[in-house]
Amino acid sequence: MSEKFQGSFTQQEPIPDAGIEAALQILKSGRLHRYNIAEGEHGETALLEQEFAASVDAKYCLAVASGGYAMATALRAVGVKAGDKVLSNAFTLAPVPGSIAAVGGVPVFVGVTRDLTIDLDDLAAKADLADVLMLSHMRGHICDMDSLMAICDAAGITVIEDCAHTMGAKWGDTFSGRHGVMGCYSCQTYKHVNSGEGGLLVSDDDELMARAIMLSGSYMLFERHLAGPPKEAFANIKYETPNISGRMDHLRAAILRPQLADLDTQVTRWNERYVAVEDGLQDTPGLTVVKRHEKESYVGSSIQFLLEGWSDAAVNDAIARCGARGVELKWFGGAEPVAFTSRYDSWRYAPSEPMLATDDILRGIVDMRLPLTFSIEDCQQIARIIRAEVSAVYKGQDS
């Protein structure tokens, strides 16, 4: 009888005991709002910002309500206005173009390569269309950042990085989020630290971070930000920047601080699971394992592979067969959005033209979460199931 995987692809590890205890202390105090602090306290949120800034070698950090809010705040901070075009990846998730639309911007989609990173040739071809790039490191795949920054610097393009899937990852010696003027991170449950919802925004730029802090709803309490710019940076900004409240509270910050302290260990664990699945999928007939660049230090909290040249019916068949054996796969090639998956032509608030090479790649992308609740043996079993079912469908196409 065929083996069946019994685990859950949406079950996360529990919050660390230290986070639970810190959260209980916050609840008992009643002081959840980030600026509601007792004499002599800094508060959990300000401490989280300080610790995260240090962890990615950034001068400044702002904790906010979500990763999407962080992106919209970064766009507002760099001056994107209604009607402005903003470049972004065609292969990404809906909050990325959503953040552009939220500030009245118009997404201009850039193609994807077989490595699942932004197509640098297409970026260079479209560099004169916009002054800002919202770069999505989608599903943790980091492009050649040296080449990307050379293209953007030459064209005068301001780069903001969406690092929802790359907290703890690097390109060379530089942390993800530190090449552009601002880096945006998510703390949503399925990301690398878990507060249910939440986001972090980093920058070295005094003016941009001062704007972001005012936008987030600091009122005139900006001096309570341990990881914020000096008060002189707010001198004029405080009068001209609207309050678009999206602060993080002490409760979520308390939950996050112990997780952040343990992130390096968690990254190692994710990558062990990633490699176990990747090794098990090598040389599977009809399946292409996505290559990683030697300069990329990734976080393998999910894994993707390509079923290149397959018909829609065959892809759906393979996914259904894996699902019947307990392995939950997502497909980015479907014409209709399903759960978290959608394509650039699904977002009809953003005008787009077909990109044939990108469409061919999207049609083959299959995606799978790798929660840390899985053991290495679980991952090896998952790979065996995918290998068996993909091989069976692939061979059936030839018969």
Side-chain angles (χ1 to χ4, degrees):
M1 183 177 178
S2 298
E3 59 184 338
K4 185 173 181 178
F5 182 62
Q6 301 296 330
S8 169
F9 284 79
T10 58
Q11 180 60 57
Q12 306 302 307
E13 291 193 305
I15 300 300
D17 288 345
I20 294 171
E21 179 57 34
L24 286 173
Q25 293 306 312
I26 294 297
L27 291 171
K28 289 176 181 178
S29 77
R31 296 193 299 273
L32 276 68
H33 192 279
R34 71 161 297 156
Y35 299 120
N36 186 358
I37 52 178
E39 186 71 27
E41 286 183 341
H42 291 301
E44 293 286 337
T45 309
L47 291 170
L48 171 69
E49 291 167 339
Q50 187 178 59
E51 291 160 3
F52 189 75
S55 76
V56 296
D57 301 326
K59 286 177 68 174
Y60 308 125
C61 176
L62 173 66
V64 294
S66 71
Y69 183 91
M71 288 187 284
T73 299
L75 289 165
R76 288 189 173 98
V78 302
V80 173
K81 302 179 295 299
D84 288 352
K85 293 181 177 179
V86 178
L87 297 161
S88 194
N89 308 51
F91 176 48
T92 189
L93 292 177
V96 177
S99 70
I100 298 170
V103 303
V106 180
V108 176
F109 296 112
V110 182
V112 63
T113 70
R114 293 175 72 248
D115 295 336
L116 305 191
T117 57
I118 194 167
D119 185 328
L120 296 181
D121 291 336
D122 195 33
L123 175 63
K126 295 174 177 174
D128 61 344
L129 299 180
D131 297 327
V132 175
L133 166 65
M134 174 61 76
L135 173 65
S136 175
H137 300 304
M138 175 60 172
R139 284 298 191 252
H141 297 275
I142 302 176
C143 74
D144 182 337
M145 291 302 297
D146 303 320
S147 297
L148 179 135
M149 292 306 300
I151 292 168
C152 292
D153 288 346
I157 294 172
T158 298
V159 177
I160 299 168
E161 294 179 64
D162 161 36
C163 307
H165 304 150
T166 52
M167 183 187 288
K170 289 183 177 180
W171 176 261
D173 294 327
T174 302
F175 281 102
S176 174
R178 303 296 294 119
H179 286 86
V181 296
M182 304 193 95
C184 309
Y185 307 79
S186 174
C187 308
Q188 186 248 30
T189 288
Y190 299 122
K191 305 305 190 296
H192 300 155
V193 291
N194 173 17
S195 59
E197 289 288 358
L200 296 160
L201 180 63
V202 300
S203 182
D204 288 348
D205 188 288
D206 288 20
E207 181 177 340
L208 293 181
M209 187 51 74
R211 289 192 184 281
I213 289 171
M214 294 302 298
L215 285 162
S216 75
S218 69
Y219 299 92
M220 298 300 134
L221 301 172
F222 44 78
E223 291 185 66
R224 297 188 186 182
H225 287 250
L226 299 178
K231 64 180 180 180
E232 292 76 19
F234 296 87
N236 294 319
I237 286 169
K238 65 184 180 182
Y239 298 114
E240 61 190 32
T241 307
N243 179 326
I244 307 174
S245 296
R247 298 168 295 267
M248 182 181 285
D249 54 78
H250 288 318
L251 183 59
R252 283 183 285 181
I255 291 169
L256 288 170
R257 289 180 64 205
Q259 296 178 63
L260 177 62
D262 201 33
L263 183 59
D264 287 346
T265 299
Q266 301 294 75
V267 169
T268 298
R269 295 178 63 213
W270 261 309
N271 288 351
E272 290 170 347
R273 284 149 181 78
Y274 183 97
V275 169
V277 176
E278 183 182 49
D279 286 350
L281 296 180
Q282 296 288 354
D283 302 318
T284 300
L287 182 151
T288 302
V289 173
V290 178
K291 291 193 300 183
R292 295 283 189 171
H293 196 286
E294 61 184 11
K295 287 191 69 172
E296 178 190 18
S297 300
Y298 59 87
V299 184
S301 56
S302 69
I303 191 166
Q304 296 71 42
F305 56 84
L306 295 171
L307 301 180
E308 296 180 283
W310 285 42
S311 68
D312 291 1
V315 174
N316 279 317
D317 187 19
I319 290 173
R321 291 174 65 131
C322 288
R325 295 180 62 182
V327 175
E328 184 178 319
L329 302 175
K330 304 295 184 184
W331 180 41
F332 276 89
E336 282 296 315
V338 177
F340 296 105
T341 61
S342 50
R343 303 188 317 204
Y344 70 95
D345 55 358
S346 302
W347 308 314
R348 295 178 187 172
Y349 55 82
S352 64
E353 297 293 330
M355 293 182 282
L356 299 183
T358 286
D359 293 342
D360 285 344
I361 293 166
L362 291 175
R363 199 170 291 118
I365 299 174
V366 179
D367 170 61
M368 185 179 74
R369 288 194 185 112
L370 288 174
L372 290 176
T373 47
F374 291 177
S375 66
I376 301 299
E377 292 73 23
D378 289 336
C379 293
Q380 292 168 339
Q381 182 188 32
I382 288 166
R384 288 195 301 272
I385 291 170
I386 296 172
R387 184 183 187 90
E389 299 305 332
V390 166
S391 298
V393 175
Y394 183 70
K395 291 173 183 175
Q397 291 186 95
D398 293 335
S399 60

